[in-house]
Amino acid sequence: MTKKESFLVNRFKSVGYAFKGAIFLIKTEASIKIQVAIAFVVTIVGFFLNISTTEWILQCFAIALVMSIEGVNTAIEAVADFIHPEHHKKIGIIKDIAAGAVFIAAFFAVIIGLIIYVPKFV
């Protein structure tokens, strides 16, 4: 019989697995690399233009949302490819829907960025 690990040990392990997954995502996915670069640029611009606390909250939320949805999209694509490696119309629809979720998040992240930054340049 194996000793059951404590709740705290399990939580630390879960965080470790999540961190490992995030690093893997950043290292292997071109779209996440682009999103990280954009996040870095808007963060630097945010410091330079001294955006408000509310603007920081909105910007951080938008960045987190896009990257999170991109991670979910990547996971969905990996599972779909594992289950059905050959091209299949329904798998294609599933992948398109997941990509569409990323598009929606990214579209509104751009809107948030425009709301924050356009007035500062106009």
Side-chain angles (χ1 to χ4, degrees):
M1 185 178 332
T2 61
K3 181 182 172 193
K4 187 173 179 172
E5 293 178 329
S6 73
F7 175 79
L8 192 57
V9 168
N10 282 331
R11 293 309 93 211
F12 277 120
K13 283 185 176 182
S14 293
V15 169
Y17 297 139
F19 184 76
K20 180 180 167 185
I23 295 300
F24 181 81
L25 185 64
I26 291 167
K27 285 183 175 180
T28 62
E29 290 299 314
S31 55
I32 279 284
K33 289 177 185 178
I34 292 166
Q35 292 161 2
V36 167
I38 292 168
F40 181 75
V41 169
V42 296
T43 299
I44 297 301
V45 172
F47 281 116
F48 181 73
L49 295 177
N50 197 31
I51 63 176
S52 72
T53 301
T54 302
E55 291 167 332
W56 275 115
I57 291 167
L58 291 170
Q59 180 170 296
C60 289
F61 179 75
I63 291 167
L65 180 66
V66 172
M67 287 190 187
S68 297
I69 299 295
E70 184 64 54
V72 171
N73 176 51
T74 300
I76 289 169
E77 287 183 356
V79 169
D81 289 343
F82 179 77
I83 291 171
H84 208 293
E86 317 74 58
H87 177 74
H88 189 279
K89 185 176 179 177
K90 288 191 178 185
I91 293 292
I93 291 169
I94 291 165
K95 289 177 161 187
D96 290 348
I97 291 168
V102 177
F103 174 78
I104 291 167
F107 178 81
F108 284 99
V110 169
I111 298 298
I112 289 169
L114 291 172
I115 290 168
I116 292 170
Y117 291 106
V118 167
K120 299 194 180 333
F121 289 105
V122 175

